[in-house]
């Protein structure tokens, strides 16, 4: 039996943040940007962590201080960042995290890593809202690279739909709040208040 691929971390920070109306990666909680918080969290669990960016974001001060993987495949959305990471280091699996998960915890990442299925294409949590796969807090195995390329070539764009169709291990999250994300100014205000008060 071959050894499982090493796991690197990828923080997805290439989105346009259109609903937030400002850069989500730069939003701050307790004096740290969302990007820095996600990067530091991932760094406690894997040896190498990178930030996924578009080519026009490489000089952005929020991102430029971190190792980056620049989008290298055509298309848009998080599938491009995931594929670009798999292409940059094809021997590695990737702990992929959206940068807009302010409640993500060490406990959640420990569960994900502990229950990883390295023989499949991915290991992901089920959403606590709709029970569908959460592709942006997941481990993507090297074998997912060619499969994602074929999926995108056939017109696929949604990594969640890819995980629904493919063989992925789905986990019930023990930390039920960890995957709550922040997309709008109202959600940011609510998350900020919750974190500031420790609720």
């Amino acid at each position: 039996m071959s050894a499982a691929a090493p796991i690197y971390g990828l923080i997805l920070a290439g989105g346009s943040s259109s609903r937030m109306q400002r850069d989500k990666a730069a939003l701050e909680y307790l004096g740290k940007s969302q990007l820095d918080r996600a990067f530091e969290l991932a760094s406690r669990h894997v040896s190498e962590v990178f930030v996924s960016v578009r080519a026009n974001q490489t000089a952005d001060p929020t991102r430029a201080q971190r190792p980056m993987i620049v989008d290298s495949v055509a298309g848009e959305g998080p599938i491009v960042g995931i594929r670009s990471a798999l292409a940059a280091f094809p021997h590695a699996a990737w702990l992929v995290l959206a940068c807009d998960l302010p409640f993500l915890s060490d406990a959640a990442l420990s569960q994900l890593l502990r229950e990883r299925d390295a023989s499949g294409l991915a290991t992901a949590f089920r959403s606590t809202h709709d029970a569908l796969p959460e592709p942006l807090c997941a481990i993507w195995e090297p074998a997912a690279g060619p499969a994602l390329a074929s999926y995108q070539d056939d017109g696929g764009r949604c990594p969640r739909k890819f995980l629904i169709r493919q063989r992925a291990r789905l986990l019930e999250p023990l930390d039920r709040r960890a995957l709550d994300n922040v997309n709008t100014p109202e959600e940011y205000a609510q998350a900020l208040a919750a974190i500031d008060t420790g609720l």
Side-chain angles (χ1 to χ4, degrees):
M1 181 176 176
S2 59
I7 303 175
Y8 295 167
L10 184 72
I11 312 301
L12 295 171
S16 60
S17 304
S18 57
R19 283 183 288 171
M20 184 60 70
Q21 302 167 14
R22 57 191 281 205
D23 183 7
K24 286 198 289 187
L27 296 177
E28 290 196 356
Y29 299 92
L30 302 178
K32 288 186 179 180
S33 71
Q34 282 203 121
L35 178 57
D36 284 345
R37 286 165 59 94
F39 192 97
E40 292 170 11
L41 178 60
S43 296
R44 293 198 289 270
H45 295 268
V46 296
S47 61
E48 301 281 347
V49 183
F50 299 84
V51 178
S52 170
V53 300
R54 301 190 311 271
N56 64 357
Q57 295 174 313
T58 56
D60 172 71
T62 302
R63 294 161 174 79
Q65 61 184 318
R66 303 293 190 182
M68 292 181 281
I69 291 180
V70 181
D71 288 350
S72 63
V73 300
E76 58 185 32
I79 194 171
V80 173
I82 297 167
R83 282 195 60 206
S84 297
L86 287 162
F89 295 91
H91 68 286
W94 288 90
L95 172 63
V96 173
L97 303 176
C99 75
D100 62 346
L101 300 172
F103 301 105
L104 190 61
S105 63
D106 285 299
L109 294 192
S110 292
Q111 181 190 1
L112 186 61
L113 291 162
R114 183 176 63 249
E115 299 186 36
R116 169 195 183 191
D117 177 8
S119 68
L121 296 183
T123 302
F125 287 117
R126 290 186 189 276
S127 168
T128 57
H129 302 290
D130 57 19
L132 296 176
E134 287 285 4
L136 308 187
C137 182
I139 299 171
W140 292 80
E141 300 295 337
L148 278 169
S150 295
Y151 172 71
Q152 198 176 17
D153 287 345
D154 289 339
R157 296 177 52 190
C158 176
R160 171 172 282 174
K161 290 180 181 176
F162 174 86
L163 292 183
I164 292 170
R165 296 177 186 179
Q166 300 294 327
R167 187 164 68 93
R169 181 171 191 193
L170 300 183
L171 311 178
E172 299 297 334
L174 299 177
D175 183 346
R176 305 286 292 177
R177 197 178 192 184
L179 302 180
D180 288 350
N181 65 351
V182 171
N183 290 307
T184 66
E186 293 75 22
E187 289 172 352
Y188 174 49
Q190 293 166 4
L192 194 62
I195 288 173
D196 284 346
T197 58
L199 297 177

Short mmCIF file of all heavy atoms in Angstrom, two decimals, residues 5-64:
data_model
loop_
_atom_site.label_atom_id
_atom_site.label_comp_id
_atom_site.label_asym_id
_atom_site.label_seq_id
_atom_site.Cartn_x
_atom_site.Cartn_y
_atom_site.Cartn_z
N ALA A 5 -0.34 10.89 0.28
CA ALA A 5 0.35 12.10 -0.17
C ALA A 5 0.45 13.09 0.99
O ALA A 5 -0.44 13.16 1.85
CB ALA A 5 -0.41 12.74 -1.32
N PRO A 6 1.53 13.88 1.03
CA PRO A 6 1.60 14.93 2.04
C PRO A 6 0.51 15.96 1.79
O PRO A 6 0.02 16.11 0.67
CB PRO A 6 2.99 15.55 1.80
CG PRO A 6 3.29 15.24 0.37
CD PRO A 6 2.66 13.90 0.09
N ILE A 7 0.13 16.66 2.83
CA ILE A 7 -0.94 17.65 2.73
C ILE A 7 -0.37 19.05 2.88
O ILE A 7 0.31 19.36 3.86
CB ILE A 7 -2.03 17.43 3.79
CG1 ILE A 7 -2.60 16.01 3.69
CG2 ILE A 7 -3.14 18.45 3.64
CD1 ILE A 7 -3.59 15.68 4.79
N TYR A 8 -0.65 19.91 1.91
CA TYR A 8 -0.35 21.33 1.98
C TYR A 8 -1.66 22.09 2.19
O TYR A 8 -2.74 21.55 1.97
CB TYR A 8 0.32 21.82 0.71
CG TYR A 8 1.69 21.25 0.42
CD1 TYR A 8 2.28 21.41 -0.83
CD2 TYR A 8 2.41 20.55 1.39
CE1 TYR A 8 3.54 20.90 -1.11
CE2 TYR A 8 3.66 20.03 1.13
CZ TYR A 8 4.22 20.20 -0.14
OH TYR A 8 5.48 19.69 -0.41
N GLY A 9 -1.53 23.33 2.59
CA GLY A 9 -2.71 24.16 2.82
C GLY A 9 -2.89 25.20 1.72
O GLY A 9 -1.91 25.76 1.22
N LEU A 10 -4.14 25.45 1.36
CA LEU A 10 -4.46 26.47 0.36
C LEU A 10 -5.61 27.33 0.89
O LEU A 10 -6.70 26.82 1.15
CB LEU A 10 -4.89 25.82 -0.95
CG LEU A 10 -5.15 26.80 -2.11
CD1 LEU A 10 -3.83 27.38 -2.62
CD2 LEU A 10 -5.89 26.10 -3.25
N ILE A 11 -5.34 28.62 1.06
CA ILE A 11 -6.37 29.56 1.48
C ILE A 11 -6.89 30.27 0.24
O ILE A 11 -6.14 30.97 -0.45
CB ILE A 11 -5.81 30.60 2.48
CG1 ILE A 11 -5.01 29.92 3.58
CG2 ILE A 11 -6.97 31.42 3.05
CD1 ILE A 11 -5.75 28.90 4.40
N LEU A 12 -8.16 30.07 -0.06
CA LEU A 12 -8.76 30.67 -1.25
C LEU A 12 -9.07 32.14 -0.97
O LEU A 12 -9.93 32.46 -0.15
CB LEU A 12 -10.03 29.93 -1.63
CG LEU A 12 -9.84 28.47 -2.06
CD1 LEU A 12 -11.18 27.78 -2.18
CD2 LEU A 12 -9.08 28.38 -3.37
N ALA A 13 -8.35 33.02 -1.67
CA ALA A 13 -8.52 34.46 -1.47
C ALA A 13 -8.55 35.20 -2.79
O ALA A 13 -8.16 36.36 -2.87
CB ALA A 13 -7.39 35.00 -0.59
N GLY A 14 -9.03 34.53 -3.84
CA GLY A 14 -9.05 35.13 -5.16
C GLY A 14 -10.40 35.63 -5.61
O GLY A 14 -10.54 36.10 -6.74
N GLY A 15 -11.39 35.56 -4.73
CA GLY A 15 -12.74 35.96 -5.13
C GLY A 15 -12.89 37.46 -5.26
O GLY A 15 -12.07 38.25 -4.78
N SER A 16 -13.99 37.86 -5.89
CA SER A 16 -14.23 39.28 -6.13
C SER A 16 -14.96 39.96 -4.97
O SER A 16 -15.05 41.20 -4.93
CB SER A 16 -15.05 39.46 -7.41
OG SER A 16 -16.30 38.80 -7.29
N SER A 17 -15.51 39.20 -4.03
CA SER A 17 -16.19 39.75 -2.85
C SER A 17 -17.31 40.71 -3.23
O SER A 17 -17.55 41.71 -2.55
CB SER A 17 -15.18 40.47 -1.93
OG SER A 17 -14.13 39.62 -1.55
N SER A 18 -18.02 40.40 -4.29
CA SER A 18 -19.04 41.33 -4.80
C SER A 18 -20.18 41.55 -3.81
O SER A 18 -20.66 42.69 -3.65
CB SER A 18 -19.58 40.84 -6.14
OG SER A 18 -20.11 39.52 -6.02
N ARG A 19 -20.62 40.51 -3.13
CA ARG A 19 -21.72 40.70 -2.18
C ARG A 19 -21.29 41.47 -0.93
O ARG A 19 -22.07 42.20 -0.34
CB ARG A 19 -22.30 39.33 -1.78
CG ARG A 19 -23.20 38.71 -2.83
CD ARG A 19 -23.81 37.42 -2.36
NE ARG A 19 -22.82 36.35 -2.30
CZ ARG A 19 -23.03 35.14 -1.76
NH1 ARG A 19 -24.22 34.87 -1.23
NH2 ARG A 19 -22.11 34.21 -1.76
N MET A 20 -20.02 41.30 -0.54
CA MET A 20 -19.52 42.02 0.63
C MET A 20 -19.25 43.48 0.31
O MET A 20 -19.24 44.33 1.21
CB MET A 20 -18.23 41.34 1.12
CG MET A 20 -17.65 41.93 2.40
SD MET A 20 -18.76 41.84 3.82
CE MET A 20 -18.76 40.08 4.14
N GLN A 21 -19.00 43.79 -0.96
CA GLN A 21 -18.71 45.15 -1.41
C GLN A 21 -17.36 45.67 -0.91
O GLN A 21 -17.07 46.85 -0.98
CB GLN A 21 -19.84 46.12 -1.00
CG GLN A 21 -21.19 45.70 -1.56
CD GLN A 21 -22.34 46.44 -0.92
OE1 GLN A 21 -22.16 47.44 -0.24
NE2 GLN A 21 -23.55 45.93 -1.12
N ARG A 22 -16.53 44.78 -0.40
CA ARG A 22 -15.14 45.08 -0.02
C ARG A 22 -14.41 43.75 0.06
O ARG A 22 -15.03 42.69 0.08
CB ARG A 22 -15.06 45.84 1.31
CG ARG A 22 -15.72 45.13 2.46
CD ARG A 22 -15.86 46.00 3.70
NE ARG A 22 -14.62 46.09 4.43
CZ ARG A 22 -14.54 46.37 5.74
NH1 ARG A 22 -15.65 46.61 6.43
NH2 ARG A 22 -13.40 46.43 6.35
N ASP A 23 -13.10 43.81 0.10
CA ASP A 23 -12.29 42.60 0.05
C ASP A 23 -12.50 41.76 1.31
O ASP A 23 -12.12 42.17 2.41
CB ASP A 23 -10.82 43.00 -0.10
CG ASP A 23 -9.88 41.82 -0.24
OD1 ASP A 23 -10.37 40.68 -0.36
OD2 ASP A 23 -8.66 42.04 -0.23
N LYS A 24 -13.06 40.56 1.15
CA LYS A 24 -13.32 39.71 2.31
C LYS A 24 -12.04 39.27 3.00
O LYS A 24 -12.01 39.09 4.21
CB LYS A 24 -14.14 38.48 1.91
CG LYS A 24 -15.59 38.79 1.62
CD LYS A 24 -16.45 37.56 1.64
CE LYS A 24 -16.21 36.65 0.48
NZ LYS A 24 -17.19 35.53 0.45
N ALA A 25 -10.97 39.09 2.23
CA ALA A 25 -9.71 38.65 2.83
C ALA A 25 -9.18 39.65 3.84
O ALA A 25 -8.47 39.28 4.78
CB ALA A 25 -8.67 38.40 1.73
N ALA A 26 -9.51 40.92 3.66
CA ALA A 26 -8.99 41.98 4.52
C ALA A 26 -9.89 42.30 5.71
O ALA A 26 -9.51 43.11 6.57
CB ALA A 26 -8.75 43.24 3.70
N LEU A 27 -11.08 41.71 5.78
CA LEU A 27 -11.95 41.95 6.93
C LEU A 27 -11.24 41.53 8.21
O LEU A 27 -10.57 40.50 8.25
CB LEU A 27 -13.26 41.18 6.78
CG LEU A 27 -14.17 41.56 5.61
CD1 LEU A 27 -15.37 40.64 5.60
CD2 LEU A 27 -14.59 43.01 5.69
N GLU A 28 -11.41 42.28 9.26
CA GLU A 28 -10.69 42.00 10.50
C GLU A 28 -11.60 41.52 11.62
O GLU A 28 -12.73 41.97 11.77
CB GLU A 28 -9.93 43.25 10.96
CG GLU A 28 -8.75 43.60 10.08
CD GLU A 28 -7.79 44.57 10.72
OE1 GLU A 28 -8.06 45.04 11.85
OE2 GLU A 28 -6.74 44.85 10.10
N TYR A 29 -11.05 40.58 12.39
CA TYR A 29 -11.64 40.12 13.64
C TYR A 29 -10.55 40.14 14.69
O TYR A 29 -9.46 39.57 14.48
CB TYR A 29 -12.18 38.69 13.51
CG TYR A 29 -13.27 38.52 12.48
CD1 TYR A 29 -12.96 38.16 11.17
CD2 TYR A 29 -14.60 38.71 12.82
CE1 TYR A 29 -13.96 38.00 10.23
CE2 TYR A 29 -15.60 38.54 11.87
CZ TYR A 29 -15.28 38.19 10.58
OH TYR A 29 -16.26 38.03 9.64
N LEU A 30 -10.80 40.80 15.80
CA LEU A 30 -9.83 40.86 16.90
C LEU A 30 -8.45 41.28 16.40
O LEU A 30 -7.43 40.75 16.83
CB LEU A 30 -9.76 39.52 17.63
CG LEU A 30 -11.08 39.00 18.22
CD1 LEU A 30 -10.89 37.64 18.87
CD2 LEU A 30 -11.64 40.00 19.24
N GLY A 31 -8.43 42.24 15.48
CA GLY A 31 -7.17 42.81 15.04
C GLY A 31 -6.42 42.05 13.97
O GLY A 31 -5.31 42.43 13.59
N LYS A 32 -7.00 40.98 13.45
CA LYS A 32 -6.35 40.20 12.39
C LYS A 32 -7.28 40.06 11.21
O LYS A 32 -8.50 39.90 11.37
CB LYS A 32 -5.96 38.80 12.88
CG LYS A 32 -4.81 38.77 13.84
CD LYS A 32 -4.41 37.34 14.15
CE LYS A 32 -3.22 37.30 15.10
NZ LYS A 32 -2.84 35.91 15.42
N SER A 33 -6.71 40.10 10.00
CA SER A 33 -7.52 39.92 8.81
C SER A 33 -8.01 38.47 8.73
O SER A 33 -7.38 37.55 9.29
CB SER A 33 -6.73 40.26 7.55
OG SER A 33 -5.74 39.27 7.30
N GLN A 34 -9.11 38.29 8.02
CA GLN A 34 -9.61 36.92 7.81
C GLN A 34 -8.54 36.06 7.15
O GLN A 34 -8.39 34.88 7.50
CB GLN A 34 -10.86 36.94 6.91
CG GLN A 34 -12.12 37.34 7.60
CD GLN A 34 -13.37 36.83 6.90
OE1 GLN A 34 -14.15 36.09 7.49
NE2 GLN A 34 -13.59 37.20 5.65
N LEU A 35 -7.81 36.63 6.20
CA LEU A 35 -6.78 35.86 5.52
C LEU A 35 -5.70 35.43 6.50
O LEU A 35 -5.28 34.26 6.50
CB LEU A 35 -6.18 36.67 4.38
CG LEU A 35 -5.04 35.99 3.60
CD1 LEU A 35 -5.49 34.64 3.04
CD2 LEU A 35 -4.55 36.90 2.49
N ASP A 36 -5.23 36.34 7.34
CA ASP A 36 -4.19 35.99 8.31
C ASP A 36 -4.69 34.94 9.29
O ASP A 36 -3.96 34.00 9.64
CB ASP A 36 -3.72 37.23 9.06
CG ASP A 36 -2.81 38.11 8.23
OD1 ASP A 36 -2.32 37.64 7.18
OD2 ASP A 36 -2.59 39.27 8.62
N ARG A 37 -5.92 35.08 9.73
CA ARG A 37 -6.47 34.10 10.68
C ARG A 37 -6.53 32.71 10.04
O ARG A 37 -6.14 31.71 10.66
CB ARG A 37 -7.87 34.52 11.13
CG ARG A 37 -7.89 35.67 12.10
CD ARG A 37 -9.28 36.27 12.24
NE ARG A 37 -10.27 35.29 12.71
CZ ARG A 37 -10.60 35.11 13.98
NH1 ARG A 37 -10.03 35.84 14.91
NH2 ARG A 37 -11.52 34.23 14.32
N ALA A 38 -7.01 32.64 8.80
CA ALA A 38 -7.10 31.35 8.11
C ALA A 38 -5.72 30.77 7.87
O ALA A 38 -5.51 29.56 8.03
CB ALA A 38 -7.86 31.51 6.80
N PHE A 39 -4.78 31.61 7.47
CA PHE A 39 -3.42 31.15 7.19
C PHE A 39 -2.78 30.59 8.46
O PHE A 39 -2.16 29.51 8.44
CB PHE A 39 -2.59 32.30 6.63
CG PHE A 39 -1.28 31.88 6.03
CD1 PHE A 39 -1.15 31.69 4.66
CD2 PHE A 39 -0.15 31.66 6.83
CE1 PHE A 39 0.04 31.29 4.10
CE2 PHE A 39 1.04 31.26 6.29
CZ PHE A 39 1.15 31.08 4.91
N GLU A 40 -2.90 31.31 9.54
CA GLU A 40 -2.30 30.86 10.80
C GLU A 40 -2.96 29.58 11.30
O GLU A 40 -2.28 28.69 11.84
CB GLU A 40 -2.39 31.97 11.84
CG GLU A 40 -1.50 33.16 11.50
CD GLU A 40 -1.75 34.37 12.39
OE1 GLU A 40 -2.47 34.23 13.41
OE2 GLU A 40 -1.24 35.46 12.07
N LEU A 41 -4.26 29.47 11.13
CA LEU A 41 -4.97 28.25 11.54
C LEU A 41 -4.47 27.06 10.74
O LEU A 41 -4.11 26.01 11.32
CB LEU A 41 -6.47 28.44 11.34
CG LEU A 41 -7.38 27.26 11.67
CD1 LEU A 41 -7.25 26.85 13.12
CD2 LEU A 41 -8.83 27.61 11.35
N ALA A 42 -4.41 27.19 9.42
CA ALA A 42 -3.94 26.08 8.59
C ALA A 42 -2.49 25.73 8.92
O ALA A 42 -2.12 24.55 8.92
CB ALA A 42 -4.07 26.45 7.12
N SER A 43 -1.69 26.73 9.22
CA SER A 43 -0.26 26.50 9.50
C SER A 43 -0.04 25.68 10.77
O SER A 43 1.03 25.08 10.93
CB SER A 43 0.47 27.84 9.63
OG SER A 43 0.44 28.55 8.40
N ARG A 44 -1.01 25.64 11.63
CA ARG A 44 -0.89 24.81 12.83
C ARG A 44 -1.13 23.33 12.53
O ARG A 44 -0.90 22.48 13.40
CB ARG A 44 -1.87 25.30 13.91
CG ARG A 44 -1.53 26.67 14.45
CD ARG A 44 -2.20 26.95 15.77
NE ARG A 44 -3.64 27.13 15.68
CZ ARG A 44 -4.23 28.31 15.49
NH1 ARG A 44 -3.51 29.40 15.33
NH2 ARG A 44 -5.55 28.39 15.45
N HIS A 45 -1.60 23.03 11.31
CA HIS A 45 -1.98 21.65 11.00
C HIS A 45 -1.20 21.05 9.84
O HIS A 45 -1.12 19.81 9.74
CB HIS A 45 -3.48 21.59 10.69
CG HIS A 45 -4.33 21.93 11.88
ND1 HIS A 45 -4.80 20.98 12.76
CD2 HIS A 45 -4.76 23.13 12.35
CE1 HIS A 45 -5.50 21.57 13.71
NE2 HIS A 45 -5.50 22.87 13.49
N VAL A 46 -0.66 21.86 8.95
CA VAL A 46 0.12 21.35 7.81
C VAL A 46 1.41 22.16 7.68
O VAL A 46 1.50 23.28 8.17
CB VAL A 46 -0.69 21.42 6.49
CG1 VAL A 46 -1.90 20.50 6.55
CG2 VAL A 46 -1.11 22.84 6.16
N SER A 47 2.39 21.57 7.01
CA SER A 47 3.74 22.16 7.00
C SER A 47 3.90 23.31 6.02
O SER A 47 4.75 24.19 6.22
CB SER A 47 4.77 21.07 6.67
OG SER A 47 4.52 20.52 5.38
N GLU A 48 3.13 23.32 4.94
CA GLU A 48 3.24 24.38 3.93
C GLU A 48 1.86 24.93 3.65
O GLU A 48 0.91 24.16 3.44
CB GLU A 48 3.83 23.82 2.61
CG GLU A 48 5.21 23.21 2.76
CD GLU A 48 6.30 24.24 2.82
OE1 GLU A 48 6.02 25.42 2.51
OE2 GLU A 48 7.43 23.88 3.18
N VAL A 49 1.75 26.25 3.61
CA VAL A 49 0.46 26.89 3.33
C VAL A 49 0.67 27.98 2.28
O VAL A 49 1.66 28.73 2.33
CB VAL A 49 -0.17 27.50 4.60
CG1 VAL A 49 -1.55 28.10 4.28
CG2 VAL A 49 -0.30 26.45 5.69
N PHE A 50 -0.26 28.06 1.34
CA PHE A 50 -0.21 29.06 0.27
C PHE A 50 -1.55 29.78 0.19
O PHE A 50 -2.57 29.27 0.63
CB PHE A 50 0.07 28.38 -1.08
CG PHE A 50 1.37 27.63 -1.14
CD1 PHE A 50 1.47 26.33 -0.66
CD2 PHE A 50 2.50 28.23 -1.67
CE1 PHE A 50 2.67 25.64 -0.72
CE2 PHE A 50 3.70 27.55 -1.73
CZ PHE A 50 3.79 26.25 -1.25
N VAL A 51 -1.50 30.96 -0.41
CA VAL A 51 -2.72 31.73 -0.66
C VAL A 51 -3.02 31.66 -2.16
O VAL A 51 -2.14 31.90 -2.99
CB VAL A 51 -2.55 33.20 -0.22
CG1 VAL A 51 -3.81 34.01 -0.56
CG2 VAL A 51 -2.24 33.27 1.26
N SER A 52 -4.24 31.31 -2.49
CA SER A 52 -4.69 31.24 -3.87
C SER A 52 -5.14 32.62 -4.32
O SER A 52 -6.02 33.23 -3.69
CB SER A 52 -5.85 30.24 -3.98
OG SER A 52 -6.45 30.31 -5.25
N VAL A 53 -4.54 33.12 -5.42
CA VAL A 53 -4.85 34.47 -5.90
C VAL A 53 -4.99 34.49 -7.42
O VAL A 53 -4.46 33.62 -8.11
CB VAL A 53 -3.75 35.48 -5.49
CG1 VAL A 53 -3.62 35.55 -3.98
CG2 VAL A 53 -2.41 35.14 -6.13
N ARG A 54 -5.68 35.51 -7.91
CA ARG A 54 -5.67 35.80 -9.33
C ARG A 54 -4.40 36.57 -9.67
O ARG A 54 -3.76 37.17 -8.80
CB ARG A 54 -6.90 36.63 -9.72
CG ARG A 54 -8.23 35.97 -9.41
CD ARG A 54 -9.40 36.72 -10.03
NE ARG A 54 -9.37 38.15 -9.76
CZ ARG A 54 -9.91 38.75 -8.71
NH1 ARG A 54 -10.52 38.03 -7.77
NH2 ARG A 54 -9.85 40.06 -8.57
N ALA A 55 -4.05 36.59 -10.95
CA ALA A 55 -2.81 37.24 -11.37
C ALA A 55 -2.78 38.72 -10.99
O ALA A 55 -1.72 39.26 -10.66
CB ALA A 55 -2.62 37.08 -12.88
N ASN A 56 -3.94 39.38 -10.99
CA ASN A 56 -3.95 40.82 -10.69
C ASN A 56 -3.98 41.12 -9.19
O ASN A 56 -4.12 42.27 -8.79
CB ASN A 56 -5.14 41.50 -11.38
CG ASN A 56 -6.49 41.01 -10.88
OD1 ASN A 56 -6.57 40.11 -10.04
ND2 ASN A 56 -7.56 41.59 -11.41
N GLN A 57 -3.83 40.08 -8.35
CA GLN A 57 -3.83 40.28 -6.90
C GLN A 57 -2.45 40.07 -6.26
O GLN A 57 -2.32 40.21 -5.05
CB GLN A 57 -4.82 39.31 -6.24
CG GLN A 57 -6.28 39.55 -6.61
CD GLN A 57 -7.18 38.49 -6.03
OE1 GLN A 57 -6.90 37.29 -6.13
NE2 GLN A 57 -8.28 38.90 -5.41
N THR A 58 -1.46 39.75 -7.05
CA THR A 58 -0.17 39.36 -6.47
C THR A 58 0.52 40.50 -5.71
O THR A 58 1.33 40.24 -4.82
CB THR A 58 0.79 38.83 -7.55
OG1 THR A 58 0.94 39.82 -8.57
CG2 THR A 58 0.25 37.54 -8.17
N ALA A 59 0.22 41.74 -6.06
CA ALA A 59 0.85 42.88 -5.37
C ALA A 59 -0.01 43.43 -4.24
O ALA A 59 0.41 44.37 -3.54
CB ALA A 59 1.16 43.99 -6.38
N ASP A 60 -1.17 42.84 -4.03
CA ASP A 60 -2.05 43.33 -2.98
C ASP A 60 -1.41 43.14 -1.62
O ASP A 60 -0.95 42.03 -1.30
CB ASP A 60 -3.39 42.58 -3.03
CG ASP A 60 -4.27 42.91 -1.85
OD1 ASP A 60 -4.79 44.04 -1.81
OD2 ASP A 60 -4.40 42.06 -0.96
N PRO A 61 -1.35 44.17 -0.78
CA PRO A 61 -0.64 44.06 0.51
C PRO A 61 -1.18 42.97 1.43
O PRO A 61 -0.42 42.36 2.18
CB PRO A 61 -0.83 45.45 1.14
CG PRO A 61 -1.12 46.36 0.00
CD PRO A 61 -1.84 45.54 -1.02
N THR A 62 -2.49 42.71 1.38
CA THR A 62 -3.06 41.67 2.24
C THR A 62 -2.54 40.29 1.87
O THR A 62 -2.35 39.43 2.74
CB THR A 62 -4.60 41.69 2.15
OG1 THR A 62 -5.08 42.99 2.53
CG2 THR A 62 -5.23 40.64 3.06
N ARG A 63 -2.28 40.09 0.58
CA ARG A 63 -1.88 38.77 0.10
C ARG A 63 -0.37 38.63 -0.12
O ARG A 63 0.18 37.54 0.04
CB ARG A 63 -2.61 38.49 -1.24
CG ARG A 63 -4.12 38.38 -1.09
CD ARG A 63 -4.82 38.57 -2.42
NE ARG A 63 -6.26 38.33 -2.34
CZ ARG A 63 -7.14 39.21 -1.86
NH1 ARG A 63 -6.72 40.40 -1.44
NH2 ARG A 63 -8.43 38.92 -1.82
N ALA A 64 0.30 39.71 -0.48
CA ALA A 64 1.68 39.63 -0.96
C ALA A 64 2.67 39.17 0.11
O ALA A 64 3.76 38.69 -0.23
CB ALA A 64 2.12 40.99 -1.51
#
